[in-house]
Amino acid sequence: MGLDTLGRMGWLTAMRGTARSGLSIERRRLEPAVALRGATGLALVVGVSLVTLGPTAAVSSAFGAFQAAIATFQRSWRPRPVLALASGASLAISTFLGYLVGAHSPFFLALLALWTFVAGLAWAVGPTAGIIASSNVAIMLVTVTLPTSIAAAAGHAAMIAVGGVVQAALVVLVPIRRWGAQRDALADALAAVADYARRLRHDPRAPFDPEPLMTARLAAAVTPREARRRPAELRGSRGVAERIRPVLASLADPALGVPEEGPERDRVRELLGAAASVLDAAARAIRHGQAVRVPPPAEAALRTPDTGAILTGPALRAATRLTALLGDVMETAEGTGGGSAEPLLRPTLPRLVPLALAAMRRELGRRDSPVFRHAVRVCAVAAVGYLLGKALPLGHAYWAPMAAVMVMRPDFSQTYSRAVARFGGTLVGVALATAIVQLTHPGPGLSAALAVLCAFLMYLLMRTGYAAASACVSAYVVFLLGTGGLQWTQTAPDRVLLTLLGGLLAMAAYALYPAWETPRLRTRLADWLAACGRYAAAVTDRYADPAGSAEEVRRALLDTRAARVAWQEALDRATHEPVRHRGLSRAAAEGAGEAVGHLGRIAMLMEAHVPERGAPPVPAAAEFAGALRRATERGAKAVRERRVPEWGEVARALAAWDAGAGPDRSDRVVRKGAGLLLRCLDDLSDALAPAAPPMAVTDSGPPSRRESA
């Protein structure tokens, strides 16, 4: 499903697409060793609890170990033991507080509503916090039914916390691929740049998705303790890879590089192929912790003295920088260089708490934000589901709100696809568990063993699709409650019906109180335009002041990447939403996104040729940068207000540049780049013109001049 569906998808089509997505099974790399470690921790907790404390305590402790292991599988760069401990402790607190008011339905309902609302707001902190908080609420609904007294509730909460401690201890005692996630993230970033270099050989304007570099940056952030233990080869390659990417683009692009055909282009293709080979070799070395083995042809291509005789000007400068940066990549991949830079520090877990609370408070003040609306929806659905479950003659009232909380997400497509997957997985899991129970009539020990087996399968398959994970979880719960003495007839039929009810409530809540991404597309586009404008202006300023700090350029580049990802994610979500576009049609979104993307790309090409300290300044570049910065801010405001931006100030600044500056070698790249920037802005206005009301313009000055480019 692509961009051509934007703005004309109906509910039936959207439901069909999300159902297909929810029931699909993806082929992913499985991690059996990690799954076995999580299942082993669960088996230890259940086995010891079953022998020493009895079946009921074994059930509650199993939930703690089960949830703690799930927390270690989340895409988070924090240490896995910390995630397990945080999950176990928060679930223990939730369970104990829930039991204190569990016998008094009005108070429990109030606590449930409050807890689910806070869990919904936790998505403001990040997906990992949101998933753990939602899972804790869902499991709390089951565990509060197990104790019989306050003392027993405290004991059950302690056992749940112990489950988290056991999983954390296993992660420490049985390490599997230390720093493996960070190695994979860095290797993926290097491999992505290598693939980019390879594609540039055939398409000099090939696009590049910066997400691997952004992921590698997130993975590179460490706590002070981690910074002292991190392997040397993980300390510098990411920064070098980020500097290589604009150099590759500038070397390949005909606008600022070499002609599209001829001996110069052949030499550039050879250099790009050699760069791809070196980056791939570095990626393999970092992923597996091995020495870098560069293919001899690539090494020979980089060391040949012919480059200076074939390439000249900006192309030669880019080739020289590329060779130096590739040398840095090999050194850092070997662990012999690049480790002197200050590490990116992330707050420790105690210091994260006030930051998380501040992020949640900010969402409280934004009543139209997806996170706030999600918190309201999940709160209402959990309360209504609990009341309906109590009113229906099915028993086990917690199944409906538990299913709803587990499937609900801040966006439409995930909520609907997970609801379908949850019901389908529940049917399969309950059917299989029921058949096994009917055939074997297992006792507590065998039921516990079957529950651990289902947990292992869930850990193994959880990244292949939510339907497979739901089937394993459903069977796990049936067997686990059987361990505590509850027969399948008491849970299975009720679970299926109430799961269906919870899923329907979740989908109805999103339909009645949505947070559509489609109406916000203009805002996302405007944010991206403003970020690209700041980045292009910061780069141009460096030509006016070569001795200036590069920090502003770096910050602006990171803002541009974040805004681009936000735009792309919003566009992807909008393609699945059953609502009409509001002021930004398919063609306008496609053309505008392409124009802003080119704006950022031209700025990146200019960054690759920023002069060294001591180079002669280009005073006119400062005036152009100021005009560009102001115009793009006004243009972003116009995009949000559904008006067509005009770029008269930028055109006038470019005309003044041409009138006041004679031909000068020092400004050849920046002057040509400035003209290309203006052309991108004009393309943006052309793309948005059909989507705006007639005569909706923002600038009273003369129109921009394409011929100035």
Side-chain angles (χ1 to χ4, degrees):
M1 190 175 301
L3 196 69
D4 60 326
T5 61
L6 180 61
R8 59 181 182 86
M9 179 184 295
W11 275 96
L12 183 60
T13 306
M15 290 291 293
R16 189 185 303 119
T18 53
R20 189 183 301 115
S21 173
L23 295 175
S24 63
I25 303 297
E26 300 180 21
R27 297 186 65 177
R28 295 287 186 91
R29 187 180 67 183
L30 303 181
E31 298 180 291
V34 179
L36 182 60
R37 183 179 63 190
T40 300
L42 177 62
L44 288 173
V45 171
V46 172
V48 173
S49 301
L50 193 61
V51 172
T52 59
L53 301 174
T56 305
V59 172
S60 62
S61 62
F63 275 117
F66 178 74
Q67 172 63 11
I70 290 178
T72 65
F73 279 88
Q74 300 306 313
R75 286 187 61 84
S76 173
W77 306 111
R78 291 194 172 276
R80 304 295 154 179
V82 172
L83 295 177
L85 291 173
S87 174
S90 59
L91 179 58
I93 294 172
S94 298
T95 297
F96 183 70
L97 293 178
Y99 178 78
L100 291 181
V101 296
H104 311 285
S105 291
F107 296 103
F108 180 76
L109 187 63
L111 177 67
L112 176 62
L114 175 62
W115 234 231
T116 50
F117 184 77
V118 173
L121 288 179
W123 285 88
V125 184
T128 299
I131 290 172
I132 291 177
S134 300
S135 300
N136 283 350
V137 172
I139 294 176
M140 177 200 72
L141 289 164
V142 181
T143 54
V144 295
T145 64
L146 299 174
T148 56
S149 65
I150 293 180
H156 281 259
M159 290 305 300
I160 289 173
V162 167
V165 172
V166 170
Q167 293 288 12
L170 276 180
V171 173
V172 174
L173 297 175
V174 189
I176 299 173
R177 287 197 72 212
R178 288 185 186 272
W179 298 91
Q182 286 82 357
R183 287 184 179 278
D184 287 342
L186 178 54
D188 289 344
L190 291 171
V193 179
D195 177 69
Y196 180 57
R198 201 171 285 111
R199 287 185 290 113
L200 285 173
R201 299 179 65 195
H202 310 288
D203 180 8
R205 300 175 183 84
F208 178 78
D209 183 0
E211 187 171 354
L213 290 177
M214 298 176 69
T215 302
R217 179 177 174 81
L218 292 175
V222 290
T223 62
R225 183 173 181 272
E226 289 177 310
R228 295 190 295 270
R229 298 168 177 263
R230 182 171 52 172
E233 61 268 27
L234 299 183
R235 296 177 184 173
S237 297
R238 176 194 58 82
V240 182
E242 291 195 345
R243 295 199 299 274
I244 285 178
R245 186 245 167 152
V247 174
L248 292 172
S250 67
L251 183 63
D253 195 284
L256 299 177
V258 299
E260 298 200 31
E261 294 298 337
E264 292 174 299
R265 174 59 57 179
D266 293 338
R267 180 59 182 144
V268 164
R269 290 192 181 106
E270 189 178 4
L271 289 173
L272 292 172
S277 298
V278 171
L279 291 167
D280 277 335
R284 285 193 298 271
I286 288 173
R287 194 185 302 276
H288 302 293
Q290 301 171 347
V292 181
R293 294 182 177 85
V294 179
E299 200 167 355
L302 292 172
R303 291 183 177 178
T304 179
D306 294 344
T307 301
I310 299 174
L311 302 181
T312 59
L316 177 59
R317 189 162 59 246
T320 304
R321 288 184 178 179
L322 177 62
T323 303
L325 289 171
L326 290 174
D328 292 342
V329 167
M330 288 187 284
E331 288 182 5
T332 52
E334 292 279 10
T336 59
S340 60
E342 286 294 322
L344 297 172
L345 294 180
R346 74 169 76 249
T348 59
L349 203 59
R351 293 191 176 185
L352 180 64
V353 173
L355 298 177
L357 293 177
M360 294 165 70
R361 280 198 302 270
R362 284 195 298 271
E363 293 300 325
L364 284 174
R366 300 169 54 206
R367 301 306 169 91
D368 288 333
S369 76
V371 170
F372 177 81
R373 285 181 168 250
H374 170 67
V376 173
R377 279 195 304 271
V378 75
C379 171
V381 167
V384 172
Y386 182 77
L387 291 175
L388 288 177
K390 294 281 285 186
L392 292 173
L394 298 175
H396 312 289
Y398 51 79
W399 289 124
M402 182 178 70
V405 170
M406 290 297 290
V407 304
M408 294 183 76
R409 292 293 184 265
D411 67 278
F412 163 81
S413 60
Q414 283 198 45
T415 296
Y416 276 60
S417 63
R418 287 171 66 88
V420 174
R422 181 80 180 185
F423 183 68
T426 297
L427 283 178
V428 174
V430 168
L432 291 176
T434 298
I436 293 173
V437 169
Q438 288 285 69
L439 291 174
T440 62
H441 300 286
L446 182 56
S447 293
L450 291 171
V452 171
L453 176 61
C454 291
F456 169 75
L457 292 175
M458 201 279 290
Y459 298 148
L460 184 66
L461 303 175
M462 65 185 300
R463 289 179 179 167
T464 64
Y466 191 61
S470 295
C472 296
V473 170
S474 300
Y476 167 79
V477 173
V478 170
F479 289 130
L480 189 63
L481 295 181
T483 303
L486 296 177
Q487 299 301 315
W488 75 271
T489 53
Q490 293 177 280
T491 60
D494 300 349
R495 176 174 171 75
V496 171
L497 293 175
L498 290 173
T499 297
L500 176 60
L501 174 62
L504 292 176
L505 286 174
M507 292 192 290
Y510 207 104
L512 295 174
Y513 190 57
W516 302 123
E517 200 66 51
T518 301
R520 283 191 290 270
L521 282 179
R522 276 187 170 271
T523 299
R524 303 291 188 191
L525 179 64
D527 293 342
W528 188 19
L529 170 62
C532 283
R534 290 191 296 271
Y535 173 46
V539 170
T540 308
D541 265 332
R542 287 297 309 278
Y543 286 85
D545 182 16
S549 172
E551 185 59 30
E552 183 182 357
V553 175
R554 178 64 180 160
R555 286 197 304 267
L557 173 61
L558 295 178
D559 291 344
T560 299
R561 287 180 180 171
R564 178 194 181 277
V565 170
W567 157 258
Q568 192 59 55
E569 289 179 348
L571 196 61
D572 292 342
R573 290 172 184 165
T575 59
H576 296 86
E577 293 178 348
V579 292
R580 293 181 61 82
H581 74 79
R582 300 182 187 177
L584 196 63
S585 65
R586 174 197 62 82
E590 187 176 42
E594 185 176 353
V596 178
H598 285 167
L599 180 69
R601 183 173 176 279
I602 296 301
M604 179 194 66
L605 295 177
M606 294 170 63
E607 183 188 358
H609 295 283
V610 165
E612 303 288 343
R613 290 177 179 271
V618 184
E623 297 295 329
F624 180 84
L628 182 65
R629 188 178 287 109
R630 292 188 296 271
T632 48
E633 288 293 341
R634 288 198 305 269
K637 184 174 184 292
V639 171
R640 294 187 187 97
E641 297 173 354
R642 302 190 185 185
R643 293 181 287 136
V644 179
E646 284 289 335
W647 313 105
E649 183 179 4
V650 180
R652 290 191 294 273
L654 199 60
W657 187 339
D658 290 336
D664 188 343
R665 287 185 306 170
S666 64
D667 71 347
R668 185 174 66 175
V669 171
V670 66
R671 171 58 187 84
K672 190 167 186 178
L676 294 173
L677 291 174
L678 178 58
R679 181 177 297 175
C680 294
L681 295 174
D682 281 328
D683 290 342
L684 172 64
S685 295
D686 289 346
L688 292 176
M695 303 301 292
V697 296
T698 66
D699 196 320
S700 58
S704 57
R705 299 184 306 163
R706 292 180 180 275
E707 62 272 14
S708 64

